[in-house]
Amino acid sequence: MFKTAAALVLPFIALAADPAGFSVWKSSELKGFEQKLAPKMDAQKVATQNLAKYGNHETMVAHREASGLAELHVAVADVFVVESGEATLVVGGKIPAQRTQSAGEIRGASIEGGSKHALAAGDVVHIPANTPHQLLVDPGKQFTYFVVKVDAK
């Protein structure tokens, strides 16, 4: 009888397995990163945690308590999903006095001529590769967001 029951149940168990590369991050887990990352902030008041890599893209969570540098990823697009807090995203324009941080990664103090967009929890942003962008966080505020980095090559 046990063999018969096992023969009936095992195929359903095998079908219920998630496919390779599948991931779920629950809202409660993502919101928890605000407290988890706050004590790990660097001198620029930002902390990040990589979550997973999948072929041409990777995921991470970032927490900021101050404005970031202007940045440009030559061959990587960013998708942000705002988890908590608020910030202003400056996108487009030019990065004056830019410097190369690493291969394909440009940084600078600010952006000239970009457009500003207020961001809050629930907002989703797509920033194409080779596009200057900068997150501005007002003093006393915080901003936590889920990021998908997509290799645009």
Side-chain angles (χ1 to χ4, degrees):
M1 177 155 168
F2 177 74
K3 287 183 181 179
T4 304
L8 292 173
V9 172
L10 286 177
F12 291 106
I13 292 172
L15 291 176
D18 291 330
F22 173 80
S23 298
V24 172
W25 294 281
K26 294 294 201 173
S27 177
S28 60
E29 178 185 3
L30 294 173
K31 289 186 187 316
F33 276 102
E34 181 178 326
Q35 286 80 32
K36 186 177 181 180
L37 291 175
K40 299 178 182 181
M41 285 189 292
D42 63 16
Q44 287 74 40
K45 295 220 168 235
V46 64
T48 63
Q49 181 170 328
N50 292 333
L51 298 175
K53 289 188 177 195
Y54 310 94
N56 74 332
H57 63 286
E58 62 184 277
T59 58
M60 62 185 277
V61 175
H63 176 76
R64 294 183 176 277
E65 293 186 6
S67 297
L69 292 173
E71 54 187 68
L72 178 147
H73 318 294
V74 173
V76 175
D78 281 339
V79 177
F80 296 169
V81 180
V82 182
E83 293 301 317
S84 65
E86 56 190 50
T88 300
L89 173 67
V90 182
V91 64
K94 296 186 185 300
I95 301 174
Q98 65 184 11
R99 66 185 188 286
T100 300
Q101 178 174 316
S102 59
E105 295 292 323
I106 308 298
R107 299 292 186 271
S110 62
I111 292 178
E112 291 179 352
S115 60
K116 293 184 177 184
H117 303 272
L119 299 179
D123 292 346
V124 179
V125 178
H126 175 266
I127 303 168
N130 210 31
T131 301
H133 56 285
Q134 181 177 24
L135 284 166
L136 305 176
V137 179
D138 289 337
K141 301 286 184 172
Q142 60 81 33
F143 188 68
T144 304
Y145 53 111
F146 178 86
V147 182
V148 180
K149 294 192 160 292
V150 182
D151 187 344
K153 292 180 196 175

